Each structure stands twice: as structure tokens, then as C-alpha cells.
Amino acid sequence: MNIIYMLLAISILVAVIFFVAFIYSVKSGQYDDTYTPSVRMLFEDELVKEKSPKENHNSEKTENLKKK
Amino acid sequence: MANCFHCGDSCLDVEIKHEEKSFCCQGCKMVYEILHANELGYYYDLQSTPGISPNEVAGKYDFLDNEAIVEKLLEFNDGNTQIVSFLIPSIHCSSCIWVLENLDKLIPNVKSSQVNFPEKTVRITFSNSTMESSDVKTTESSLKSLVVLLTRIGYEPYISLEDSDKKKKSVDRSLIYKLAIAGFAFGNIMFLTLPEYFEDSDFWLDQFKPFFRWLMFAFSLPVVFYSASGYFISAYKGLRSRILNIDVPIALGVAVLFIRSTLDIVMDWGTGFFDSLAGLLFFLLLGKFFQQKTYSYLSFERDYKSYFPIAVTRLVKDSFGKITEEQAEVYTVKTGDRLLVRNNEILPVDAILIKGNALIDYSFVTGEAEPIAKKSGDKLFAGGKQQAGILEVEALKPVSQSYLTQLWSNDVFSKNHQGIFESLTDGISKRFTISILTIAFLSTLFWMVVDPSKAFNVFTAVLIVACPCAIALAAPFTLGNFLRIFGREKLYLKEASVIEQMAKIDTIVFDKTGTLTTNEKNFITYEGIELTEEERNLLTGTLRASNHPLSRALYGILEKNNILTPDEFEEEVGKGMSAKYEQKSIKIGAYDFVNHQDENTPEDSFIAEQKNRTSVHISTDQDYKGCYIFNSEYRDGISATFESLAAKKKLVVLSGDNDGERSRLEQLLPVGTEMHFGQKPEDKLNFIKNLQKEGKTVMMVGDGLNDAGALKQSDVGIAISENTNVFSPACDGILDASRFKAFAAYITAGKRATQIINWAFLFSLFYNLIGLSFAVTGHLKPVVAAILMPLSSISIVVFTTIASQNAGKKLRMNLNKKN
């Protein structure tokens, strides 16, 4: 019946891993700005749509800008 | 009228048509073109009219050619890759985030950029190779071209003297760690104790009991020694300075809980109270966490450094006598240096004007609304903003010794005068701690006599159950709620304790200019001989040609029919202008300029009085006609606000201005309002200090840097701000100017907060009495503590939240009524 020691050890180990992951994410500043990512997320799709067909015009356009 | 496609302003003067869209100025059109040419047109799809009209940049960022300055601004630099963070006050919508995070499309050198919207900052990683964007020359430093481009698309970074001694700001996240550890331990310990609460004797349980208990002990170690460390330290500090703060009974409770529980498992007396211990700390820290509310884009600690430029243009004579311009750090400016000040630049030192037309706007420094013209040889004070062309000045003093900056060497700014203030919680904790200790000793004595075996149990039980968790939670949750409610209603407070202070205020001191008066509107009246229609038309025509702020303001209110365009027009900066139309001539401006030929005649009292006020004088064909007087416009409802405050508080008005407005203020404000004029920044500070010596609790309401000392000295310093994006001086709170008329409502709400806290105290004392009755009789089992403690904490949280939400609703109703 010593399986309970192992089970407890595993469950606590899992809990500690998550706990450490949480502390790490706080430390790395993930929670410092909770607003901007929520907005950023919304325009990622649009970007890809716009980019692909016009990609080759890009260099040309930059040229134009230089002249201004 | 069309609205600008870029910035949304109505196109007043000109309307530029481009690609079937209207723009209000060339600048806006330029931004549109730049963005479109670089595939960034999506900017306008995200939000309509998201743009900001860009400012003039020529020469403004030349200081970024100075490598020493650039080095100070960069966060990271390894030669190739550089990282810089900018504060960009104009960030305001999702389009801003989008365009700033796509800077790499605009400038090839930019590797990545990330916006922090709440803080209005952008962090840009870029490579140092020469920039090849638009028309920026390749010789410029890459940082400079970056800044110039940002400015040209309307996102001007705010670079100030403060950035030059920027230390790596380390964010203190220890409270989150402590909270996380306490919560983690709480959950796990609960899970381990639960079996023992249900089964009295079970084979399996008996076998694993010691293991479970030691595991709980292990979990409680970081809670006691790390999470609770703040309470032990604070209690120790409190005791050393002979104050029984609320942390004393908490620390005592935690220590007793831990020792008793450890003894319990060592001696095999029972499970101990580890779950209550971890739960207690979890709730306490949660309260502390909730009490914090930071408005990341507002700063309550600013001093003059946030307003002053980081660099100046210095004129240096080389050995051949040739004068060259040089970009120098502000701190290196010495007495006698020649400096060049451009339009819209702030003068960082006291100086003497050598060359140029000075029109200095001191609005932020002294609260003077109108720009002041200066002649060469006049003394200029640091902090003024030049409004009319280029100036050459000679520095009189280095930055740190200038008139305005010297205010910051006053003791108030170095001394941290916290701790004088005894909070409600500290007040109750004194009596609470003493009575708990008395009860603990008396009941122990009683059990010593009756049943000595129970004495230790009872003693510890009393201290455990009396641990004032609920009391300690009442204030943080109530004040935290109020902090958020006030924030929603545009009163932004630095920290929760300000609300308690606010409730104690008995004297309120107001600054006049910028606080009681608005910066925007002017109330203009004419006094003198009435002008004929022809004269009026000529006047409007002449004013139209001038860019002086007073001319613009006056032009705005005059009728504009039959405008005569003058044949001759001449403007002398700082004096006025003269114009001619056919036979008629007109002079507009300062009294001495308009009426200069009869200098010898003594001024009558009327003129003398008008000279004290902001006025524009007019003479036609050499005859003095009269003047337009610019009265400062007082904010809406100041009479009503003062009236409602006057009943309970002493009110004072301090003004840096002369007493030209005294009679008008006396009419507006209730009788008994003290007024003092001609107050310098130090006078204001000392005035507050003297009031405090008389035992008054003073609130200062001000707006400019000239109030900074007084705001800091006062018990509660509130800065009024027309635009919270523009910085306010160091203070305890920032109030949006539009809410000034409801000033009294905030103070009433602050009072309400302390009432709620007092009710919560009563509530938690009731819980303590129940707990004590268990403890004193020797019946406190771990399971009772495990139920009672979270129950009391949670019910206090619920009570304070509901009560403060109600108070918030009432405040909102009050505010709406006033609007």
C-alpha cells in the first residue's frame, strides 16, 4: 500500500512544476501588460491577408517614399 | 464642414483634398501618404480617424547626434543591435498599437517593436546600420532618424531630462510571489488535512497520519518564513517605534499558529492548524494585493526633470573666434554659457536674454495663463516655453540652482513623511491587541487553577482565533474598491491610504490659476471709448494678421463682417502692432506702445489697474481709445463647490498672481474664504506647513510645478489636470478638470469609505467574540478554526464590496446630477 507515497509525490511534483511555471511567467513580465496582447491578437489575421498579394510591390513603394 | 480623414478634427482654415479624402493640414496628409506608401493603410480600417496631427520637427532632435546622450537613452547597445523605450503620450487606440508594432515596414532597420498600451510606451529593437528611410539623411544617428520618423507620423516620443538618469527600473513583484506561495500551500494543505476532519479512527488514516502531517509542515514553512515575512518585519518596526499596528497581532497570531501546530504534530496531539495558517495569509495577502491599483500611465512622483529637455544647443566660440553650435547635456550647462532656444523649447536654466524676441509661456511654472514678452537684457526663468522664434540667452545658473528647481532642494522632497499618519486600522489595533492579550492571560490563569493541562491549549487558542484577519481585511478591500470607483470617475489616487487621509481633512487650500480658472476659455470685456464701425473693421483686419495668442483670442470673439485688410502692417513682438488703412491708423498692444507719445502724463488709476491684468490696448490716429480686458474664466460651479465645502472646512485660495482678481473672487466665493496673492512656490509650501503646525489637516489642490512643494507638504495633494495625458507634478491624486464641480462629492464619498470600514470592524469583532467563546472554554478544534477563519474573511470581503459598490453608485448619481 505504499503506492500512496508515490501518488502523492507525483501529484505534488506536478503541482510544483505548475507553480514554478507560474512564478517564471510572472518574473518574465508576462503579466505586466495585460491589455495590449488582447488588442494585438485581433489584427494578426488581417496582416497576413494584406501582405501576401502585395509583397512584391513593397520595394517599389519604398523607392517612391524616398523621393518625397 | 468636412472632418480630417486622418485626425478627425474639423477642417477649419483649409481643407486639403487628396485621393477624395479631406485633410486639415499638410502634416496629416503627409502621414496618410507615408502610411499608404508603405502598405500601412489598414491603420485607417481599424479605427476611423485614428491619427494625430504631427508636430514640427526641424532641429528639435539635433541633440540625438550627441553620442553621450544617445547612450543614456538606449536600454541596450552592443554596437549592432540597440533597444530603446519611448514614452509616447499620443498612443490612444488600437490603430496606434498596430502601426507602432509594424514600424519595421516603415523603417527597414527596425527589427521589432512592442507597445505597452497602459503605459503608453513602445520598445523598439533596431540595428545600428545607417537608416535608409524616407528623406532622412544617412549621416544622422539611427536613433535620431527613428525619433524623427515617429514624430512625422504623429507619434512624438516624450524625451525629458528624467530619461538621462534613468535607472533600470525593477518592478517589485514580491507580493505576487508571496500570494502565489500562500495560495499554493493553502490548497495543498487543505487537501491533506481534509481526511482527518472526517474520520476519527481509520486504519489507513492512522498509518499515513504522520506522513501527511509532516508534509503539511513542509508546506507551511515557506508560508511562514517567506509569505508572512512582511508582517513580522512590520510588527517589529512598529514595536520598536512603540506603535501597536495591526501587524503586531497578525504576526503574533501567525507565530502562535505555527508553533502550536508544530508542537501538535511533534507531540502527536492533533493535526495542528496549518490549513488555517496558510488560509489566513492567503486572505491577508489577497487584501494587500487588492488594495493596489496602479494607473501605469500616470505618475505621481514627477519632478521638474520630467518637464525639462535632456539637451540644449550651446553656442561655442572656437579658438578662431568662430561660433559653432553644439548639442550639450543640460547638466553640463555652466554659468555664462550661451544657449540657443528654439520655438516651443523649454528653457532649462535661469538666463539673460541676449538676442531675439522672447515670448515666454510660464503657464505651467507660475500658472500665468498669457505668454510674457521679454526684451533683451531681461531675466528669464527656467521652465518657460519660448513661443516666438529663436532666442539666444546666457545662462545665469546651472540647472540645479535655478529658481524653480531649487524648490526641489527643500526638505519636503527628500524626507519621506509617511508614518505620521495613523490609519483607522492602526487605531483599532491598539485597543484590540491589548484586550486580546488580557483575555489570553486571564483565561490562562483561570485554567491554571481549574485544569492546568488545558491552560496552554487555551492560551494559544485565544491568540489563534483572535488573529485579526477580518479586521485587517476590512480596510484594504473597502479602500481598494473606492480606489477603483474613484478611478472610474476620473479621480486617480496614488494609493488607498489617501482615501482615509481625505476623510480627515479640515482645511482645503486651492491654487487659483489653472485650478480655479480654466486654461482654455477667456472672458473678454471692453472698457473705454466705443469704437466706430470703421475702427472695428480695421481692428479685426489687423488682428487677423497677427499670430499672438491674445490677438487670436480677441479675433475669435469679434464680428467678422467687412473686414478691412490694412495697407500697412507692422508687428513688434512683445509690444504690439500698428496698421494703416487709407487715412486711418491703428495701434494695438501694450499700453506703453499704444500711447507712447504722452509718456509724461501721469497714469490714472484706471490704467494702472488695467496694467495689472491681461489687456490689449487700442489707439486710433494717436488717440487712446480703450482696452479689451481678458478676465480669467473660472471653472463651472466653483461657487457651488465652495459653498458646499465651506460648511465643514476652512477654505483658502493661494495665488501666484497679483490681486487684480480679488474683488471678483470675493463675489464668487463664500464669505470667510481666505485669500492670499503674490505667493511664490516656497510661500505656498510654508503656508501649508504653518497650517499643519496649527494642527490642521490640509488638502492642497493645485496644478502646476509652482504648486509642487505645497502639494508634497500637504496631507493630501490633489493635482487638477485638463488632460491626464499631460503630466502633473508629484501629488497624491490627479483629478480630471472636468470633474472639478463635483469636488465635494468625492470628499463625501471618502467619508463614506471610513464609515464602511468602521462597520466592517464591528462585524469582525462579532466573529472574534464567537471564536473567543470557543477558545476560552477550551473547545477550539482545528476544524472549527478552519471553518470560522475563512468564513469571517469572506463575509467581510462580501460586505465591504457590496457596501462600497452602493457608495459608488451614490457618487455616480451625485456626479451626474452636477453635470
Side-chain angles (χ1 to χ4, degrees), chain B residues 342-359:
Chain B
R342 292 190 184 80
N343 204 6
N344 277 328
E345 277 186 356
I346 289 177
L347 190 67
V349 291
D350 292 351
I352 282 186
L353 180 61
I354 305 284
K355 234 194 283 176
N357 296 316
L359 188 65

Side-chain angles (χ1 to χ4, degrees), chain B residues 58-78:
Chain B
K60 201 169 173 186
Y61 291 107
D62 283 349
F63 63 85
L64 290 176
D65 287 329
N66 183 327
E67 270 180 41
I69 295 170
V70 169
E71 199 53 45
K72 280 191 173 163
L73 291 174
L74 291 176
E75 244 173 51
F76 171 83
N77 183 11
D78 71 350

Side-chain angles (χ1 to χ4, degrees), chain B residues 116-182:
Chain B
N116 184 330
F117 188 80
E119 285 181 15
K120 296 182 191 274
T121 53
V122 60
R123 194 160 184 270
I124 302 172
T125 312
F126 59 103
S127 64
N128 200 18
S129 57
T130 42
M131 291 242 177
E132 288 175 28
S133 91
S134 50
D135 59 353
V136 180
K137 282 167 226 95
T138 45
T139 48
E140 287 168 345
S141 76
S142 40
L143 186 71
K144 183 180 167 189
S145 48
L146 187 66
V147 172
V148 169
L149 194 107
L150 280 173
T151 311
R152 284 181 49 206
I153 60 170
Y155 293 100
E156 184 173 7
Y158 188 83
I159 302 172
S160 71
L161 189 57
E162 197 182 35
D163 296 307
S164 92
D165 44 19
K166 183 160 52 179
K167 283 160 212 109
K168 273 265 170 263
K169 51 174 179 183
S170 58
V171 199
D172 184 21
R173 300 196 184 95
S174 62
L175 182 58
I176 302 179
Y177 302 149
K178 284 176 181 171
L179 183 61
I181 286 174

Side-chain angles (χ1 to χ4, degrees), chain B residues 447-462:
Chain B
W447 284 105
M448 287 281 226
V449 179
V450 179
D451 183 1
S453 65
K454 272 191 170 175
F456 173 74
N457 261 352
V458 168
F459 179 71
T460 50
V462 169

Side-chain angles (χ1 to χ4, degrees), chain B residues 246-400:
Chain B
I246 191 71
D247 294 338
V248 174
I250 291 176
L252 194 66
V254 171
V256 170
L257 265 170
F258 181 67
I259 294 166
R260 162 83 189 264
S261 309
T262 313
L263 276 176
D264 272 0
I265 58 166
V266 171
M267 311 299 245
D268 200 22
W269 290 339
T271 32
F273 298 83
F274 290 118
D275 53 343
S276 300
L277 169 68
L280 171 79
L281 277 158
F282 178 68
F283 283 116
L284 284 173
L285 292 168
L286 204 62
K288 254 193 188 172
F289 182 73
F290 189 76
Q291 197 178 23
Q292 290 182 329
K293 160 89 186 151
T294 48
Y295 303 98
S296 21
Y297 64 98
L298 296 174
S299 171
F300 298 97
E301 311 293 342
R302 290 185 195 279
D303 59 13
Y304 66 93
K305 285 184 193 143
S306 320
Y307 307 93
F308 279 22
I310 192 167
V312 282
T313 311
R314 183 158 56 188
L315 299 173
V316 197
K317 233 182 224 173
D318 60 16
S319 45
F320 304 105
K322 225 176 98 191
I323 293 172
T324 47
E325 285 182 22
E326 154 192 275
Q327 298 296 326
E329 278 176 69
V330 160
Y331 285 126
T332 64
V333 172
K334 292 184 296 292
T335 309
D337 280 358
R338 290 282 175 109
L339 307 175
L340 204 68
V341 180
R342 292 190 184 80
N343 204 6
N344 277 328
E345 277 186 356
I346 289 177
L347 190 67
V349 291
D350 292 351
I352 282 186
L353 180 61
I354 305 284
K355 234 194 283 176
N357 296 316
L359 188 65
I360 310 285
D361 174 8
Y362 280 119
S363 57
F364 202 78
V365 182
T366 61
E368 194 70 53
E370 255 53 79
I372 302 164
K374 295 277 181 186
K375 294 190 290 290
S376 70
D378 280 353
K379 197 173 167 187
L380 308 177
F381 291 107
K385 195 181 203 180
Q386 162 66 349
Q387 304 263 281
I390 292 185
L391 293 184
E392 199 181 314
V393 298
E394 188 178 304
L396 281 177
K397 284 170 187 164
V399 179
S400 56

Side-chain angles (χ1 to χ4, degrees), chain A:
Chain A
M1 199 39 236
N2 285 338
I3 189 75
I4 199 154
Y5 290 115
M6 209 177 86
L7 287 176
L8 261 177
I10 291 171
S11 76
I12 287 169
L13 187 75
V14 171
V16 166
I17 288 172
F18 277 101
F19 179 70
V20 169
F22 172 72
I23 296 286
Y24 174 77
S25 65
V26 171
K27 205 166 213 151
S28 65
Q30 238 184 69
Y31 294 93
D32 289 358
D33 177 9
T34 48
Y35 179 79
T36 325
S38 69
V39 179
R40 191 177 295 138
M41 179 189 80
L42 295 173
F43 37 67
E44 260 163 19
D45 317 333
E46 322 271 339
L47 248 181
V48 179
K49 231 193 292 171
E50 262 206 303
K51 218 174 175 176
S52 42
K54 293 179 184 171
E55 192 107 57
N56 39 358
H57 293 295
N58 244 344
S59 52
E60 191 187 313
K61 295 270 181 166
T62 330
E63 296 279 11
N64 284 341
L65 188 68
K66 265 185 224 165
K67 282 173 203 157
K68 269 172 202 159

